[in-house]
Structures are given as structure tokens and as C-alpha cells.
Short mmCIF file of all heavy atoms in Angstrom, two decimals:
data_model
loop_
_atom_site.label_atom_id
_atom_site.label_comp_id
_atom_site.label_asym_id
_atom_site.label_seq_id
_atom_site.Cartn_x
_atom_site.Cartn_y
_atom_site.Cartn_z
N LEU A 1 0.83 -1.22 -0.01
CA LEU A 1 0.00 0.00 0.00
C LEU A 1 0.87 1.25 0.00
O LEU A 1 0.57 2.22 -0.71
CB LEU A 1 -0.94 0.00 1.21
CG LEU A 1 -2.11 -0.97 1.12
CD1 LEU A 1 -2.85 -1.03 2.45
CD2 LEU A 1 -3.06 -0.55 0.02
N LEU A 2 1.91 1.25 0.80
CA LEU A 2 2.80 2.42 0.83
C LEU A 2 3.49 2.62 -0.52
O LEU A 2 3.62 3.76 -1.01
CB LEU A 2 3.84 2.26 1.92
CG LEU A 2 3.34 2.40 3.36
CD1 LEU A 2 4.43 2.06 4.36
CD2 LEU A 2 2.80 3.80 3.60
N MET A 3 3.95 1.54 -1.13
CA MET A 3 4.60 1.63 -2.45
C MET A 3 3.63 2.16 -3.50
O MET A 3 4.00 2.99 -4.33
CB MET A 3 5.18 0.29 -2.86
CG MET A 3 6.37 -0.14 -2.06
SD MET A 3 7.75 1.01 -2.17
CE MET A 3 8.17 0.84 -3.86
N ALA A 4 2.39 1.68 -3.44
CA ALA A 4 1.39 2.18 -4.41
C ALA A 4 1.18 3.68 -4.23
O ALA A 4 1.10 4.43 -5.21
CB ALA A 4 0.08 1.42 -4.24
N GLY A 5 1.10 4.11 -2.98
CA GLY A 5 0.94 5.54 -2.71
C GLY A 5 2.13 6.35 -3.21
O GLY A 5 1.99 7.41 -3.80
N ILE A 6 3.34 5.85 -2.95
CA ILE A 6 4.55 6.53 -3.41
C ILE A 6 4.56 6.63 -4.93
O ILE A 6 4.87 7.70 -5.48
CB ILE A 6 5.80 5.80 -2.88
CG1 ILE A 6 5.94 6.00 -1.37
CG2 ILE A 6 7.07 6.24 -3.61
CD1 ILE A 6 6.97 5.12 -0.73
N ILE A 7 4.21 5.56 -5.60
CA ILE A 7 4.20 5.58 -7.07
C ILE A 7 3.15 6.56 -7.58
O ILE A 7 3.40 7.31 -8.54
CB ILE A 7 3.95 4.16 -7.61
CG1 ILE A 7 5.17 3.28 -7.33
CG2 ILE A 7 3.64 4.17 -9.09
CD1 ILE A 7 4.93 1.81 -7.52
N LEU A 8 1.97 6.58 -6.96
CA LEU A 8 0.91 7.50 -7.41
C LEU A 8 1.32 8.96 -7.21
O LEU A 8 1.10 9.80 -8.07
CB LEU A 8 -0.39 7.21 -6.65
CG LEU A 8 -1.12 5.95 -7.08
CD1 LEU A 8 -2.28 5.67 -6.14
CD2 LEU A 8 -1.63 6.11 -8.51
N VAL A 9 1.91 9.28 -6.06
CA VAL A 9 2.33 10.67 -5.79
C VAL A 9 3.43 11.08 -6.78
O VAL A 9 3.37 12.18 -7.37
CB VAL A 9 2.82 10.83 -4.34
CG1 VAL A 9 3.51 12.15 -4.13
CG2 VAL A 9 1.62 10.71 -3.38
N ALA A 10 4.43 10.22 -6.98
CA ALA A 10 5.52 10.55 -7.91
C ALA A 10 4.98 10.68 -9.34
O ALA A 10 5.38 11.59 -10.08
CB ALA A 10 6.61 9.49 -7.85
N GLY A 11 4.05 9.81 -9.73
CA GLY A 11 3.47 9.88 -11.06
C GLY A 11 2.65 11.12 -11.26
O GLY A 11 2.68 11.76 -12.33
N ALA A 12 1.88 11.51 -10.24
CA ALA A 12 1.07 12.73 -10.34
C ALA A 12 1.97 13.98 -10.48
O ALA A 12 1.66 14.89 -11.23
CB ALA A 12 0.16 12.87 -9.12
N LYS A 13 3.08 13.97 -9.75
CA LYS A 13 4.00 15.09 -9.85
C LYS A 13 4.59 15.17 -11.25
O LYS A 13 4.66 16.26 -11.84
CB LYS A 13 5.11 14.95 -8.82
CG LYS A 13 6.12 16.06 -8.86
CD LYS A 13 7.25 15.83 -7.90
CE LYS A 13 8.30 16.89 -8.11
NZ LYS A 13 9.60 16.47 -7.76
N ASP A 14 5.01 14.04 -11.78
CA ASP A 14 5.56 14.03 -13.14
C ASP A 14 4.53 14.48 -14.18
O ASP A 14 4.85 15.26 -15.08
CB ASP A 14 6.06 12.63 -13.50
CG ASP A 14 7.32 12.24 -12.75
OD1 ASP A 14 7.97 13.12 -12.16
OD2 ASP A 14 7.63 11.03 -12.74
N THR A 15 3.31 14.01 -14.03
CA THR A 15 2.24 14.39 -14.96
C THR A 15 1.97 15.90 -14.89
O THR A 15 1.80 16.54 -15.92
CB THR A 15 0.95 13.61 -14.64
OG1 THR A 15 1.24 12.22 -14.76
CG2 THR A 15 -0.16 13.98 -15.59
N SER A 16 1.95 16.46 -13.69
CA SER A 16 1.74 17.91 -13.54
C SER A 16 2.87 18.69 -14.19
O SER A 16 2.62 19.72 -14.84
CB SER A 16 1.67 18.28 -12.06
OG SER A 16 0.41 17.99 -11.56
N ALA A 17 4.08 18.23 -14.01
CA ALA A 17 5.23 18.93 -14.62
C ALA A 17 5.14 18.88 -16.14
O ALA A 17 5.38 19.90 -16.81
CB ALA A 17 6.53 18.30 -14.13
N ILE A 18 4.82 17.73 -16.68
CA ILE A 18 4.68 17.61 -18.15
C ILE A 18 3.56 18.50 -18.65
O ILE A 18 3.70 19.19 -19.68
CB ILE A 18 4.45 16.13 -18.53
CG1 ILE A 18 5.72 15.33 -18.30
CG2 ILE A 18 4.01 16.02 -19.99
CD1 ILE A 18 5.54 13.83 -18.41
N GLN A 19 2.44 18.52 -17.93
CA GLN A 19 1.31 19.35 -18.35
C GLN A 19 1.68 20.84 -18.34
O GLN A 19 1.31 21.59 -19.24
CB GLN A 19 0.08 19.10 -17.48
CG GLN A 19 -1.19 19.68 -18.02
CD GLN A 19 -1.56 19.10 -19.37
OE1 GLN A 19 -1.51 17.89 -19.56
NE2 GLN A 19 -1.95 19.93 -20.31
N ALA A 20 2.43 21.27 -17.32
CA ALA A 20 2.85 22.66 -17.24
C ALA A 20 3.78 23.00 -18.44
O ALA A 20 3.66 24.09 -19.02
CB ALA A 20 3.57 22.93 -15.93
N LYS A 21 4.65 22.08 -18.78
CA LYS A 21 5.55 22.31 -19.92
C LYS A 21 4.74 22.39 -21.23
O LYS A 21 5.01 23.25 -22.08
CB LYS A 21 6.59 21.21 -20.01
CG LYS A 21 7.60 21.23 -18.88
CD LYS A 21 8.52 20.04 -18.94
CE LYS A 21 9.47 20.01 -17.77
NZ LYS A 21 10.36 18.84 -17.80
N LEU A 22 3.76 21.51 -21.39
CA LEU A 22 2.93 21.54 -22.61
C LEU A 22 2.13 22.84 -22.69
O LEU A 22 2.00 23.43 -23.76
CB LEU A 22 2.01 20.34 -22.64
CG LEU A 22 2.68 18.98 -22.88
CD1 LEU A 22 1.67 17.84 -22.70
CD2 LEU A 22 3.31 18.94 -24.25
N ASP A 23 1.60 23.29 -21.54
CA ASP A 23 0.86 24.56 -21.52
C ASP A 23 1.76 25.71 -21.95
O ASP A 23 1.35 26.60 -22.71
CB ASP A 23 0.28 24.83 -20.14
CG ASP A 23 -0.90 23.93 -19.79
OD1 ASP A 23 -1.41 23.25 -20.71
OD2 ASP A 23 -1.31 23.92 -18.62
N GLU A 24 3.00 25.69 -21.50
CA GLU A 24 3.95 26.75 -21.89
C GLU A 24 4.25 26.70 -23.38
O GLU A 24 4.35 27.72 -24.04
CB GLU A 24 5.23 26.62 -21.07
CG GLU A 24 6.22 27.72 -21.34
CD GLU A 24 5.70 29.11 -21.00
OE1 GLU A 24 4.81 29.23 -20.15
OE2 GLU A 24 6.21 30.09 -21.61
N LEU A 25 4.35 25.49 -23.93
CA LEU A 25 4.58 25.37 -25.38
C LEU A 25 3.38 25.90 -26.16
O LEU A 25 3.55 26.55 -27.20
CB LEU A 25 4.85 23.91 -25.75
CG LEU A 25 6.20 23.36 -25.32
CD1 LEU A 25 6.29 21.87 -25.59
CD2 LEU A 25 7.32 24.09 -26.05
N ILE A 26 2.18 25.64 -25.68
CA ILE A 26 1.00 26.15 -26.36
C ILE A 26 0.99 27.68 -26.34
O ILE A 26 0.68 28.32 -27.33
CB ILE A 26 -0.30 25.60 -25.69
CG1 ILE A 26 -0.42 24.10 -25.95
CG2 ILE A 26 -1.53 26.33 -26.20
CD1 ILE A 26 -1.51 23.42 -25.14
N ARG A 27 1.38 28.25 -25.20
CA ARG A 27 1.46 29.73 -25.10
C ARG A 27 2.50 30.30 -26.08
O ARG A 27 2.34 31.37 -26.61
CB ARG A 27 1.80 30.15 -23.68
CG ARG A 27 0.67 30.06 -22.72
CD ARG A 27 1.07 30.65 -21.35
NE ARG A 27 0.20 30.15 -20.33
CZ ARG A 27 0.42 29.10 -19.54
NH1 ARG A 27 1.54 28.44 -19.65
NH2 ARG A 27 -0.47 28.73 -18.65
N ALA A 28 3.59 29.53 -26.29
CA ALA A 28 4.70 30.05 -27.10
C ALA A 28 4.41 29.98 -28.59
O ALA A 28 4.96 30.77 -29.37
CB ALA A 28 5.98 29.26 -26.78
N VAL A 29 3.55 29.08 -29.03
CA VAL A 29 3.25 28.91 -30.45
C VAL A 29 2.07 29.79 -30.82
O VAL A 29 0.98 29.64 -30.25
CB VAL A 29 2.98 27.42 -30.79
CG1 VAL A 29 2.60 27.26 -32.24
CG2 VAL A 29 4.19 26.58 -30.45
N ASP A 30 2.28 30.69 -31.76
CA ASP A 30 1.22 31.64 -32.13
C ASP A 30 -0.01 30.96 -32.73
O ASP A 30 -1.12 31.37 -32.47
CB ASP A 30 1.77 32.66 -33.14
CG ASP A 30 2.79 33.59 -32.51
OD1 ASP A 30 2.73 33.78 -31.29
OD2 ASP A 30 3.64 34.10 -33.26
N GLU A 31 0.19 29.92 -33.53
CA GLU A 31 -0.94 29.26 -34.19
C GLU A 31 -1.71 28.30 -33.28
O GLU A 31 -2.76 27.80 -33.64
CB GLU A 31 -0.46 28.49 -35.43
CG GLU A 31 0.14 29.34 -36.52
CD GLU A 31 1.63 29.61 -36.26
OE1 GLU A 31 2.28 28.82 -35.56
OE2 GLU A 31 2.12 30.63 -36.74
N ALA A 32 -1.17 28.02 -32.09
CA ALA A 32 -1.81 27.04 -31.20
C ALA A 32 -3.09 27.61 -30.61
O ALA A 32 -3.26 28.81 -30.43
CB ALA A 32 -0.85 26.65 -30.07
N ASP A 33 -4.04 26.73 -30.32
CA ASP A 33 -5.32 27.09 -29.75
C ASP A 33 -5.16 27.26 -28.23
O ASP A 33 -4.89 26.30 -27.50
CB ASP A 33 -6.34 26.00 -30.04
CG ASP A 33 -7.74 26.36 -29.61
OD1 ASP A 33 -7.93 27.47 -29.09
OD2 ASP A 33 -8.63 25.52 -29.81
N ASP A 34 -5.31 28.49 -27.74
CA ASP A 34 -5.14 28.77 -26.31
C ASP A 34 -6.19 28.09 -25.45
O ASP A 34 -6.03 27.98 -24.25
CB ASP A 34 -5.17 30.28 -26.06
CG ASP A 34 -3.94 30.98 -26.57
OD1 ASP A 34 -2.93 30.29 -26.83
OD2 ASP A 34 -3.97 32.22 -26.71
N HIS A 35 -7.26 27.61 -26.05
CA HIS A 35 -8.30 26.92 -25.28
C HIS A 35 -7.81 25.57 -24.75
O HIS A 35 -8.42 24.97 -23.87
CB HIS A 35 -9.56 26.71 -26.13
CG HIS A 35 -10.25 27.98 -26.45
ND1 HIS A 35 -9.99 28.70 -27.61
CD2 HIS A 35 -11.17 28.69 -25.76
CE1 HIS A 35 -10.72 29.78 -27.60
NE2 HIS A 35 -11.46 29.82 -26.51
N LEU A 36 -6.70 25.09 -25.29
CA LEU A 36 -6.16 23.81 -24.85
C LEU A 36 -5.33 23.93 -23.57
O LEU A 36 -5.02 22.93 -22.93
CB LEU A 36 -5.31 23.16 -25.96
CG LEU A 36 -6.08 22.80 -27.22
CD1 LEU A 36 -5.12 22.26 -28.26
CD2 LEU A 36 -7.16 21.81 -26.93
N ILE A 37 -5.00 25.15 -23.18
CA ILE A 37 -4.25 25.36 -21.94
C ILE A 37 -5.14 24.94 -20.76
O ILE A 37 -6.27 25.35 -20.64
CB ILE A 37 -3.79 26.82 -21.79
CG1 ILE A 37 -2.77 27.14 -22.90
CG2 ILE A 37 -3.18 27.06 -20.40
CD1 ILE A 37 -2.35 28.57 -22.93
N GLY A 38 -4.60 24.11 -19.90
CA GLY A 38 -5.33 23.64 -18.73
C GLY A 38 -6.37 22.59 -19.04
O GLY A 38 -7.27 22.33 -18.23
N ILE A 39 -6.28 21.97 -20.19
CA ILE A 39 -7.29 20.98 -20.61
C ILE A 39 -7.31 19.78 -19.67
O ILE A 39 -8.33 19.10 -19.53
CB ILE A 39 -7.05 20.55 -22.07
CG1 ILE A 39 -8.28 19.85 -22.62
CG2 ILE A 39 -5.82 19.67 -22.17
CD1 ILE A 39 -8.21 19.63 -24.10
#
């Protein structure tokens, strides 16, 4: 149970970091649809 929790927390952190990076890329590209930020 502890290992499952550790894996879930670490995975959620990684997913949040990736999502933040993707949101920044969407902001940087002029042709990108800003509605996708925070999807």
C-alpha cells in the first residue's frame, strides 16, 4: 500500500510537470489554440 501511494504521488508530480511544460509550449506557439491550456 505504501509503495502504491509513493508511485501515485511521484506519477502525479511528473504528470503535472509535463502538463505545465505543454501549456507553456501552447502559449509560445502563435498558431496554437489557447483553449487547450489547462485541458
Side-chain angles (χ1 to χ4, degrees):
L1 286 172
L2 289 173
M3 290 300 294
I6 289 169
I7 291 167
L8 286 172
V9 168
K13 180 184 173 207
D14 289 345
T15 300
S16 281
I18 290 169
Q19 192 62 45
K21 291 175 184 179
L22 290 172
D23 287 348
E24 184 61 25
L25 288 173
I26 291 170
R27 284 186 199 95
V29 176
D30 292 334
E31 297 85 25
D33 186 2
D34 289 343
H35 292 93
L36 296 177
I37 294 175
I39 196 169

